[in-house]
Amino acid sequence: MKKGCSSLYYFSLTNKSVTDSSVRFFILSVFLYVAVGALFSAIVIQIMKKRIAVISSLSGSYLYAFRINLKRDRFSLIILNGTMMRGELPKEGRYSAFHEKYIEATHPDDLKKVQEMLSPEYFMENLTAERSSYQIEFRSKIKQDDADYVWSRIKVILLRNNVFGRPDEVITAKKKIDEQKRNDEAKRLMLMLALKRAKEEKKKKS
């Protein structure tokens, strides 16, 4: 084979090898792009399904609920039942600022508990895959200018973790339990009275 022909032959083989590598790299890139896209879509769908399921479970019995993005320190109102709180609750804003106002309306005896357990730091430290929700009961004013405090229960639910497995998005839902607390207190007093009478009867017989 002549020198010119052998050089041309070598070039064509080398060029074919480079082309094959480029094609393989292109196919692999497309495959990875599709795989990552499918995985991302599956994660988004899973988050949306969980979000819908959580909101559906809360919408019937809770007064209102917020979705809180911890990274951005933002909240948005997602549930509002009835007209009691209409116009009183912000639809969105900075959660840290809202939390401060919430603390102002809390009963002094429950202040420390609310300050701690409804803080972003507490969410981050205590919400895990094993403990994806918790509840807190306390007394607060429904409106800032109210004279009386009422009992409420707030349920905190982990909605989504970040890439490091730490809470990134949570839901807080509030329910009034003032009537339930009054009933529980009435039952407790009746039980104490019944025990007191039983002791007196036993003392008389002895």
Side-chain angles (χ1 to χ4, degrees), residues 137 153 175-186:
E137 295 181 357
R153 177 187 296 133
K175 176 191 288 187
K176 281 183 64 181
I177 57 169
D178 205 51
E179 185 176 349
Q180 177 188 327
K181 283 289 185 179
R182 286 197 299 269
N183 292 337
D184 291 345
E185 181 64 14

Side-chain angles (χ1 to χ4, degrees), residues 29-201:
S29 299
V30 171
F31 174 77
L32 288 174
Y33 178 81
V34 172
V36 170
L39 179 61
F40 180 76
S41 298
I43 292 172
V44 170
I45 291 170
Q46 186 177 5
I47 291 171
M48 291 302 296
K49 283 183 177 179
K50 183 178 180 180
R51 184 179 296 174
I52 292 169
V54 170
I55 293 173
S56 298
S57 68
L58 298 172
S59 58
S61 57
Y62 284 81
L63 191 61
Y64 62 82
F66 289 116
R67 179 164 55 88
I68 305 167
N69 187 302
L70 298 174
K71 183 179 179 181
R72 297 174 57 227
D73 186 31
R74 303 291 297 179
F75 73 89
S76 57
L77 182 66
I78 56 173
I79 295 174
L80 179 58
N81 288 322
T83 58
M84 180 184 296
M85 301 300 299
R86 203 175 298 279
E88 296 290 330
L89 288 172
K91 292 183 179 180
E92 59 182 4
R94 286 178 56 241
Y95 178 71
S96 55
F98 178 75
H99 183 48
E100 289 176 9
K101 289 184 178 180
Y102 207 84
I103 291 171
E104 293 174 8
T106 302
H107 191 282
D109 292 344
D110 300 326
L111 189 61
K112 185 177 180 181
K113 178 169 60 174
V114 171
Q115 213 165 6
E116 178 185 3
M117 295 183 71
L118 292 180
S119 68
E121 292 79 15
Y122 194 88
F123 297 157
M124 295 285 287
E125 293 297 327
N126 291 274
L127 287 171
T128 62
E130 292 75 24
R131 189 196 183 197
S132 59
S133 68
Y134 66 88
Q135 297 185 140
I136 171 176
E137 295 181 357
F138 58 95
R139 290 155 291 180
S140 66
K141 297 177 181 179
I142 296 294
K143 298 178 182 179
Q144 290 287 349
D145 56 351
D146 285 348
D148 299 325
Y149 293 91
V150 298
W151 278 99
S152 300
R153 177 187 296 133
I154 283 187
K155 187 173 185 179
V156 182
I157 304 167
L158 174 63
L159 199 59
R160 177 167 59 91
N161 283 325
N162 58 25
V163 292
F164 303 106
R166 301 293 300 279
D168 192 41
E169 194 172 72
V170 302
I171 284 180
T172 60
K174 184 174 182 177
K175 176 191 288 187
K176 281 183 64 181
I177 57 169
D178 205 51
E179 185 176 349
Q180 177 188 327
K181 283 289 185 179
R182 286 197 299 269
N183 292 337
D184 291 345
E185 181 64 14
K187 290 177 182 177
R188 188 183 70 83
L189 292 174
M190 288 176 65
L191 179 60
M192 288 179 63
L193 183 60
L195 289 172
K196 184 179 178 180
R197 287 176 178 172
K199 285 181 180 180
E200 290 175 351
E201 290 294 328

